[in-house]
Amino acid sequence: MTADRTVTEPIGAAGSSTIVADIAIVGGGLAGSLAAAVLARAGHRIALIDKRAIYPDEFRVEKIGGHQLAMLRKLGFLDALENVACRYDQVLNIREGKVVDVSVGQAYGFPYADLVAMARSRIPEPSDLIVDEVTAISCSDDIQHLELASGRRVTARLVVLATGMAAALGYKLGIKRQILAERHSVSFGFTIARRDGAPFDFEALTCYGERTADGIDYLSLFPVRAGMRANLFMFRDPTDPIMRELRREPEATVLRLLPGLRPYLGDFRVTDRVQNWVMDLTVVEGHLQPGIVLIGDAFQTNCPAAGTGVARLLVDVDRLCTEYAPRWLATAGMDQEKITQFYSDRDKIAADQQSLKMARFRQALTSRNDIGWDVRRRLHFLRRSLAHRVDQMHPGWLGRVRGALRA
């Protein structure tokens, strides 16, 4: 693919064959765009390289809340988020048609592409986005060299690889993906509406699977600008006929798998194309090299059902862009010893480990049918239900207990 020169000019004079930056960020998805905005606002010369001037709509529609919002506030993106996302403050959680509990707290729903656009809009200089494709990277203890499909070159002290699950560039550098769990989960996404045009009787809703044989973790319903988004997470063979049924007859199939949903949804319809995604759990190896660092899915993938993807990505961006990269740039060189500091960061390691732990926990809680996990599953939902009932009788007690435990 060649550069789209009608969209943006390279850093420096137009027509220059070599672009010089402090940091070159390869991949303009969420991780790369957030990193570019944070670093550029701190005064660093950045080159964000992506083959798309406008990030396309895709399968992913996200929801974030809690600690993720605190991280976005710290990084300076929360105000901008409110302009592109739909806010909601309460989630009704049900199982087998009965209320488990109600989650209360500020949260937002948004298409992934809108969040990427928001992050890119916070880059002070639009020309820092180079619409081109990186074909080769040469790294050293000092200066890194990138070759672009257009024939131009980029030199930078540090390269941030934020290419998601695309592995071609990393493979050329000897970086390979280790598969921890092949076809770990299947996710479906679509938008729903009531046939009579009336709003649903809830802000957001989560319905948990009822039978281990179905392999359904949960269906999450939350508002986005296009309507009520439905994300269905499953641990099941992607070749199972149920996958085809969900695409062809989503309304009937969802109600057959989750009959307790019927009184909450009423007569509803799917308003757009049903899409699905199969996720492998992977982590890279051979990545510890001078001059280059991997963030987000480029380093480790996540289980969508675990809901840890954005949180882990934000930790990567925060630790790299506010702590390590500025410190590295203040001294000469970009050797492996510097790069090791990021991968050894306590917060990063904890976020990566928690992501894998939650991926395995969600799969076991959903699918394991031995007596140990059956008891654990029953206790899990029983504890939540009892806490909810006590909180109804003594409003606010649960929040006070959680606050005391965090103190």
Side-chain angles (χ1 to χ4, degrees):
M1 178 178 176
T2 58
D4 183 351
R5 299 178 185 272
T6 66
V7 177
T8 186
E9 293 293 334
I11 298 171
S16 173
S17 61
T18 300
I19 300 159
V20 180
D22 296 321
I23 301 175
I25 301 168
V26 184
L30 184 56
S33 297
L34 287 173
V38 172
L39 290 165
R41 287 184 307 181
H44 303 293
R45 294 179 303 167
I46 64 102
L48 174 62
I49 308 163
D50 194 272
K51 58 186 178 182
R52 296 158 297 198
I54 299 175
Y55 200 86
D57 289 330
E58 61 171 39
F59 168 77
R60 295 170 64 177
V61 177
E62 304 277 1
K63 61 175 183 178
I64 60 174
H67 180 62
Q68 297 164 333
L69 296 181
M71 290 288 291
L72 284 169
R73 182 181 293 107
K74 176 185 177 183
L75 294 170
F77 295 102
L78 188 57
D79 290 344
L81 172 69
E82 293 177 340
N83 295 326
V84 301
C86 283
R87 175 174 171 170
Y88 57 97
D89 299 292
Q90 183 171 286
V91 183
L92 182 66
N93 302 304
I94 66 171
R95 186 169 185 258
E96 297 179 341
K98 300 175 183 178
V99 175
V100 175
D101 57 15
V102 178
S103 303
V104 178
Q106 183 179 351
Y108 293 89
F110 50 84
Y112 181 83
D114 287 356
L115 195 59
V116 173
M118 178 276 292
R120 290 185 179 186
S121 73
R122 307 293 282 185
I123 301 173
E125 179 52 62
S127 64
D128 287 348
L129 171 61
I130 300 170
V131 183
D132 211 324
E133 185 173 13
V134 177
T135 57
I137 302 175
S138 176
C139 294
S140 71
D141 287 346
D142 188 17
I143 299 297
Q144 324 316 321
H145 299 273
L146 298 86
E147 303 287 338
L148 306 185
S150 63
R152 292 181 291 178
R153 297 178 177 85
V154 177
T155 63
R157 292 193 57 198
L158 175 66
V159 173
V160 177
L161 206 60
T163 49
M165 288 165 279
L169 279 175
Y171 188 81
K172 291 179 181 179
L173 293 167
I175 301 171
K176 299 180 181 179
R177 284 197 175 274
Q178 176 189 359
I179 297 178
L180 304 177
E182 191 173 14
R183 302 192 298 181
H184 174 75
S185 63
V186 183
S187 305
F188 282 83
F190 47 92
T191 308
I192 66 170
R194 288 176 58 104
R195 292 188 185 276
D196 60 9
F200 292 101
D201 295 330
F202 51 82
E203 281 191 86
L205 181 146
T206 300
C207 180
Y208 294 95
E210 301 182 11
R211 297 171 295 269
T212 56
D214 294 331
I216 294 179
D217 192 349
Y218 60 92
L219 173 73
S220 176
L221 301 171
F222 57 94
V224 295
R225 293 188 174 182
M228 186 65 72
R229 172 69 176 191
N231 284 344
L232 176 64
F233 302 108
M234 306 178 70
F235 298 101
R236 195 157 172 169
D237 186 342
T239 64
D240 192 293
I242 196 68
M243 307 301 166
R244 184 172 59 253
E245 293 174 32
L246 278 164
R247 290 190 295 269
R248 292 181 177 178
E249 299 180 328
E251 298 94 343
T253 307
V254 165
L255 290 179
R256 189 173 79 250
L257 293 171
L258 298 167
L261 263 177
R262 191 179 299 273
Y264 297 91
L265 297 187
D267 189 11
F268 77 100
R269 64 187 180 93
V270 172
T271 62
D272 58 2
R273 184 168 65 95
V274 177
Q275 297 177 282
N276 69 286
W277 181 264
V278 180
M279 177 62 77
D280 297 333
L281 285 185
T282 66
V283 66
V284 295
E285 52 187 17
H287 55 283
L288 193 54
Q289 301 184 20
I292 187 166
V293 64
L294 283 68
I295 62 172
D297 286 343
F299 178 76
Q300 176 183 302
T301 59
N302 311 275
C303 170
T308 56
V310 173
R312 197 178 64 78
L313 177 156
L314 289 172
V315 170
D316 277 0
V317 171
D318 176 51
R319 301 307 295 152
L320 177 65
C321 300
T322 67
E323 177 68 22
Y324 295 105
R327 187 197 306 167
W328 296 341
L329 291 173
T331 57
M334 199 61 65
D335 57 22
Q336 185 171 305
E337 183 178 350
K338 283 185 174 181
I339 303 301
T340 301
Q341 296 170 6
F342 171 69
Y343 293 122
S344 302
D345 180 82
R346 181 177 59 185
D347 292 343
K348 173 178 173 50
I349 291 173
D352 292 340
Q353 291 178 343
Q354 177 67 7
S355 179
L356 292 177
K357 177 182 176 181
M358 287 302 300
R360 295 174 178 126
F361 172 76
R362 294 302 329 171
Q363 183 180 38
L365 191 69
T366 298
S367 306
R368 290 278 294 272
N369 57 11
D370 56 89
I371 189 168
W373 274 99
D374 183 59
V375 171
R376 189 169 181 177
R377 187 162 38 246
R378 292 174 186 272
L379 288 175
H380 173 80
F381 288 106
L382 179 61
R383 281 195 300 266
R384 290 179 55 175
S385 181
L386 290 175
H388 174 61
R389 292 177 186 178
V390 174
D391 199 48
Q392 285 183 309
M393 292 186 290
H394 303 283
W397 82 275
L398 189 57
R400 291 191 294 271
V401 169
R402 287 173 175 167
L405 291 174
R406 287 194 295 265

